[in-house]
Amino acid sequence: MHAEITDDQLLRYARHIILDEVGEEGQLKLLNSKVLVVGAGGLGSPILLYLAAAGVGTLGIVDFDTVDISNLQRQILHATNRVGAPKVDSAIEAIRAVNSEITICPHKGKLTAENAMELVRDYDLVTDGCDNFTTRYLINDVCHLAGVPLVAGALQRFEGQLSTFKSHKDGPCYRCLFPNPPPPATTASCETAGIFGSIAGVIGTVQATEVLKELLGLGESLSGSLLLYDGLNTTFRKIRVPPDPACPLCGSQPTITSVEVVPQS
Ligand code: ZN
């Protein structure tokens, strides 16, 4: 627990502290915040680097994968000399180089219905940069049931999307927006559909900004809105997304009441 800003922190976070909206009080809030980042890949890279640089005091990282040479086109946490290393270890090395004073909690392995609740409930906020629908629904359900805000991003080809979910309080959850996973033909992975690398930087950086805003209570929350970015046409669209009263998780008669019932593929 950081009770007050040290002289070193005054220098490191000077450009934050000078902002009226942040100040010493806001910086202390960040230093005392715990954020879980799911996926140390394309989205997780800018998210983790910016949250570490911003002084978010505790960062949890969940990833089961190892660094592959084909990741380096967009996953800027990782480096050529760390190909073959666990992504969590590679991420820690990159983060430590930026800010060695924060606490990093590595979670090497998959997020599953069995371990998700225990993991998530330790954090103030979860941010999802995973690459598959099974995990996306699981994180949504766990965050709703645990009462933890979720900032979730997704990428495909030249496009990205982003939203914040606080359905335990108000606003929709991910299932309200996407009641069913899209058919497999439309959900090609990065591997088969391709991804224009810098799109991950655009969405991941906005995602980090939304995480910091939620932690500080700044500006307008993205809860209740879906942000859509089209890289080819250079457009951002923000559409309102209301809660679905028939949602099986956050609707008036929920049928999903524990993590165990989340289907695993
Ligand atoms: Zn819902």
Side-chain angles (χ1 to χ4, degrees):
M1 178 77 186
H2 300 262
E4 57 184 69
I5 297 275
T6 65
D7 289 348
D8 283 351
Q9 289 167 342
L10 268 180
L11 294 174
R12 176 178 282 271
Y13 305 114
R15 301 300 182 277
H16 263 171
I17 290 169
I18 203 168
L19 292 167
D20 289 340
E21 292 84 349
V22 182
E24 282 193 33
E25 194 186 336
Q27 190 59 51
L28 268 177
K29 222 185 250 181
L30 295 180
L31 288 165
N32 288 314
S33 294
K34 301 176 76 174
V35 173
L36 180 67
V37 180
V38 182
L43 289 170
S45 287
I47 295 170
L48 282 162
L49 287 170
Y50 272 114
L51 296 187
V56 172
T58 303
L59 286 175
I61 312 172
V62 188
D63 204 296
F64 66 92
D65 212 357
T66 53
V67 180
D68 185 84
I69 187 79
S70 67
N71 297 151
L72 302 182
Q73 165 256 19
R74 65 198 178 283
Q75 302 184 13
I76 58 169
L77 269 173
H78 308 303
T80 308
N81 66 357
R82 299 201 289 274
V83 167
K87 284 190 180 177
V88 168
D89 293 346
S90 172
I92 291 172
E93 194 169 330
I95 291 166
R96 286 265 170 258
V98 175
N99 192 344
S100 59
E101 77 165 9
I102 62 169
T103 302
I104 302 171
C105 301
H107 306 284
K108 278 185 213 169
K110 286 193 177 186
L111 200 70
T112 67
E114 288 73 37
N115 65 19
M117 181 58 84
E118 200 181 342
L119 201 56
V120 162
R121 65 155 66 106
D122 280 345
Y123 290 89
D124 301 314
L125 184 148
V126 174
T127 189
D128 177 13
C130 81
D131 61 356
N132 68 85
F133 282 94
T134 304
T135 309
R136 232 168 259 162
Y137 284 102
L138 172 63
I139 295 168
N140 175 67
D141 295 358
V142 173
C143 285
H144 175 83
L145 295 168
V148 174
L150 167 65
V151 181
L155 306 168
Q156 195 168 30
R157 289 168 50 77
F158 295 88
E159 294 168 11
Q161 64 182 44
L162 184 65
S163 190
T164 296
F165 302 109
K166 296 191 274 191
S167 52
H168 56 285
K169 282 190 186 155
D170 51 36
C173 77
Y174 184 79
R175 285 183 187 273
C176 295
L177 275 65
F178 305 100
N180 302 298
T186 63
T187 59
S189 65
C190 282
E191 200 174 326
T192 51
I195 171 78
F196 203 58
S198 57
I199 304 289
V202 175
I203 297 298
T205 304
V206 182
Q207 198 167 342
T209 306
E210 294 306 312
V211 170
L212 295 170
K213 280 170 56 189
E214 291 294 335
L215 296 175
L216 293 168
L218 282 185
E220 192 181 330
S221 173
L222 202 54
S223 169
S225 299
L226 179 67
L227 184 73
L228 300 167
Y229 171 62
D230 178 340
L232 285 180
N233 290 308
T234 322
T235 54
F236 280 100
R237 280 200 305 145
K238 193 164 120 176
I239 55 174
R240 297 297 302 174
V241 281
D244 176 3
C247 175
L249 181 72
C250 73
S252 52
Q253 289 179 309
T255 53
I256 299 170
T257 54
S258 75
V259 189
E260 281 72 34
V261 298
V262 177
Q264 290 291 291
S265 66

